[in-house]
């Protein structure tokens, strides 16, 4: 007899819900087996890791810059020359940053070329100094590459320094140049000149001029303006002044320009007009060089002051003609022996006739004790760097190298 199951009834007395639970269990087991067996075209765990590793490597490779930074001299180099050796370059990219510092943290200025392919220092390096170099370049994709290096410069066997005037911290007249005398003759003048930097407040163009191979003077085109502050950086340490001879001096010097005083001596009228700030301050009777011993014409700068000094004709080629041990109120105008000074032996020459051996004489007393005489007044109202200009003498214009007298060169000749 056939029995048809009644819809919704259980078979063989078992409820339908149990079939559902069994189906879920079996399905879960099959799913678990599939997941663990790696069938059906799915990646296994090891295959996925391998692909991930390959992807990471490719990504890293795509991020690496193609730019290459090169630094000369090579890392760790010693006895490196102070100029012409340090260079930084980039290939397959452009330099974006170059830093060169010594162990004290002092940076060397330099310039990256317009195309970014190279960097060169703006100045020489110091001697016996270790330098650290850090350089960065970018490729066409903007990815950076960096390089670091260090080296040490040479310790020179032969050196030079510059002896300078005026002194640091001094106040000087409007005609005072900054003058440097080197202890060795210089055969690389451009390199040495470049190593001396002058700045002023207010700003004015200052240029240097060589007198021979051991003296370099700096001045503006016109006399300094009163109150100008001048700062000079002598960056001579490491500069090669001549083959195998290096500077060993690094110093900053500052001085100030005082009030303006320019005195005009007329050798024919036997007078000196003292001008302060462009106005007549005082007129003083003088005597200048007699025939055969005429005073130089031209602009001369007071370079030294002596309350009392000895003047001996033997030292300037006038053998035996005079030897005065107590010349009062003397101020040097040339290296060859021209002074403006007190004169107690000149009688009535002052303002009347020329009686000296080339100096400019002002009336004084022996011992220089009288502050009221013209020589004492002028001495007390003058400073190193003031200008004394002589005109209408029968002698030629003073040699610009004879004393601090470069003002007798035109600006065109000074800067030539």
């Amino acid at each position: 007899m056939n029995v048809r199951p009644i819809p919704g009834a259980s078979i063989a007395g078992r409820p339908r819900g149990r079939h559902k639970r069994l189906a879920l269990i079996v399905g879960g087991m099959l799913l678990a087996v599939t997941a663990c067996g790696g069938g059906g075209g799915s990646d296994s765990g090891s295959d996925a890791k391998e692909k991930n590793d390959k992807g990471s490597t490719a990504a890293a490779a795509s991020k690496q810059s193609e730019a290459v930074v090169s630094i000369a001299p090579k890392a760790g180099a010693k006895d490196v020359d102070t100029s012409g050796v340090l260079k930084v370059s980039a290939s397959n990219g452009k330099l974006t940053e170059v830093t060169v510092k010594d162990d004290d943290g002092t940076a060397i200025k330099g310039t990256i070329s317009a195309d970014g392919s190279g960097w060169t220092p703006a100045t020489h390096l110091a001697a016996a100094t270790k330098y650290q170099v850090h350089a960065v370049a970018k490729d066409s994709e903007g990815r950076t590459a960096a390089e670091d290096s260090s080296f040490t410069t040479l310790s020179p066997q032969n050196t030079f320094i510059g002896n300078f005037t005026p002194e640091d911290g001094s106040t000087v007249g409007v005609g005072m140049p900054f003058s440097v005398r080197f202890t060795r003759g210089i055969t690389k003048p451009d390199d040495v000149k470049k190593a001396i930097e002058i700045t002023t407040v207010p700003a004015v163009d200052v240029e240097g001029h060589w007198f021979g191979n051991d003296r370099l003077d700096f001045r503006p085109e016109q006399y300094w303006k009163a109150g100008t502050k001048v700062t000079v950086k002598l960056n001579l340490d490491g500069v090669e002044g001549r083959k195998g001879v290096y500077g060993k001096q690094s110093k900053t010097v500052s001085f100030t320009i005082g009030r303006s005083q320019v005195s005009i001596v007329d050798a024919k009228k036997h007078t000196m007009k003292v001008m302060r700030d462009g106005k007549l301050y005082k007129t003083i009777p003088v005597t200048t060089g007699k025939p055969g011993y005429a005073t130089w014409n031209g602009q001369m700068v007071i370079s030294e002051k002596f309350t009392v000094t000895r003047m001996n004709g033997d030292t300037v080629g006038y053998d035996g003609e005079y030897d005065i041990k107590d010349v009062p109120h003397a101020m040097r105008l040339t290296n060859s022996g021209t002074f403006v000074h007190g004169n107690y032996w000149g009688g009535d020459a002052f303002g009347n006739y020329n009686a000296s051996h080339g100096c400019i004489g002002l009336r004084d007393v022996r011992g220089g004790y009288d502050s009221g005489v013209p020589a004492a007044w002028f001495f007390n109202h003058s400073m190193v760097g003031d200008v004394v200009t002589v005109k209408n003498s029968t002698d030629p214009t003073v040699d610009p190298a004879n004393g601090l007298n470069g003002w007798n060169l035109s600006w065109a000749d000074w800067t030539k």
Side-chain angles (χ1 to χ4, degrees):
M1 182 174 86
N2 294 326
V3 179
R4 179 177 296 175
I6 299 172
S10 59
I11 299 176
R14 292 175 292 182
R16 292 188 64 189
R18 186 176 179 186
H19 284 287
K20 289 184 178 180
R21 287 194 298 271
L22 290 171
L24 288 172
I25 292 171
V26 172
M29 291 175 64
L30 290 173
L31 181 59
V33 170
T34 301
C36 293
S42 298
D43 288 339
S44 68
S46 59
D47 289 342
K49 183 178 185 303
E50 182 179 355
K51 288 189 175 183
N52 285 339
D53 290 344
K54 290 180 178 179
S56 298
T57 302
S62 67
K63 292 179 181 178
Q64 185 175 344
S65 176
E66 294 181 359
V68 178
V69 178
S70 300
I71 298 173
K74 65 181 181 179
K78 299 184 183 300
D79 295 324
V80 173
D81 205 337
T82 55
S83 61
V85 177
L86 175 58
K87 296 177 182 178
V88 181
S89 60
S91 58
N92 299 326
K94 296 182 177 181
L95 290 169
T96 59
E97 176 189 352
V98 177
T99 303
V100 181
K101 293 183 178 181
D102 62 22
D103 283 343
D104 293 330
T106 302
I108 296 296
K109 295 181 180 178
T111 304
I112 296 176
S113 61
D115 62 1
S117 64
W119 176 92
T120 52
T123 185
H124 64 281
L125 305 176
T129 303
K130 184 177 181 179
Y131 286 95
Q132 305 284 341
V133 184
H134 174 71
V136 179
K138 285 185 179 181
D139 65 12
S140 59
E141 300 297 324
R143 296 168 297 194
T144 61
E147 189 72 24
D148 292 276
S149 184
S150 65
F151 61 90
T152 304
T153 53
L154 56 80
S155 297
Q157 299 300 310
N158 299 296
T159 60
F160 71 90
I161 63 169
N163 297 309
F164 57 85
T165 189
E167 295 180 1
D168 184 30
S170 60
T171 298
V172 295
V174 296
M176 189 69 189
F178 183 77
S179 181
V180 189
R181 283 192 176 275
F182 300 101
T183 54
R184 297 289 297 269
I186 301 301
T187 59
K188 295 185 176 183
D190 291 342
D191 291 343
V192 172
K193 183 179 176 182
K194 184 181 178 182
I196 301 176
E197 179 185 354
I198 299 183
T199 55
T200 68
V201 178
V204 63
D205 183 27
V206 179
E207 297 292 339
H209 182 87
W210 284 95
F211 293 105
N213 66 356
D214 63 353
R215 175 181 164 192
L216 176 60
D217 285 11
F218 292 85
R219 70 167 177 88
E221 182 175 3
Q222 306 295 333
Y223 297 145
W224 301 100
K225 289 184 179 180
T228 300
K229 296 186 181 301
V230 184
T231 301
V232 183
K233 292 184 178 179
L234 293 165
N235 183 27
L236 297 175
D237 184 7
V239 66
E240 190 175 23
R242 59 185 300 140
K243 187 173 178 60
V245 182
Y246 295 81
K248 63 172 184 177
Q249 189 176 25
S250 182
K251 187 175 182 63
T252 299
V253 180
S254 298
F255 59 95
T256 302
I257 307 302
R259 80 289 176 274
S260 172
Q261 180 169 299
V262 178
S263 300
I264 312 298
V265 174
D266 190 321
K268 284 187 176 180
K269 294 182 178 180
H270 318 297
T271 61
M272 179 168 66
K273 294 184 180 295
V274 182
M275 310 298 291
R276 277 280 182 93
D277 300 315
K279 298 178 181 179
L280 180 62
Y281 194 48
K282 191 177 183 69
T283 300
I284 302 174
V286 301
T287 183
T288 64
K290 61 187 177 183
Y293 300 90
T295 305
W296 299 110
N297 280 301
Q299 304 166 79
M300 291 175 273
V301 174
I302 296 174
S303 59
E304 293 181 286
K305 294 180 66 180
F306 304 95
T307 303
V308 178
T309 192
R310 178 181 180 181
M311 291 187 177
N312 188 334
D314 294 350
T315 63
V316 290
Y318 299 152
D319 296 347
E321 294 199 26
Y322 61 87
D323 185 4
I324 307 171
K325 297 178 175 61
D326 57 353
V327 178
H329 299 124
M331 292 177 281
R332 180 183 292 277
L333 299 178
T334 70
N335 296 337
S336 62
T338 307
F339 281 76
V340 52
H341 63 78
N343 180 324
Y344 60 81
W345 58 90
D348 62 351
F350 311 104
N352 297 311
Y353 59 90
N354 293 324
S356 81
H357 285 78
C359 291
I360 302 164
L362 289 72
R363 186 172 61 83
D364 209 331
V365 294
R366 188 165 192 167
Y369 60 85
D370 187 350
S371 62
V373 295
W377 182 93
F378 186 64
F379 185 89
N380 292 331
H381 287 79
S382 297
M383 64 173 61
V384 169
D386 283 348
V387 181
V388 177
T389 298
V390 177
K391 65 179 184 178
N392 296 326
S393 174
T394 58
D395 226 26
T397 298
V398 65
D399 185 337
N402 187 4
L404 303 176
N405 300 324
W407 300 103
N408 295 287
L409 285 174
S410 69
W411 188 241
D413 288 335
W414 183 266
T415 57
K416 187 179 295 181

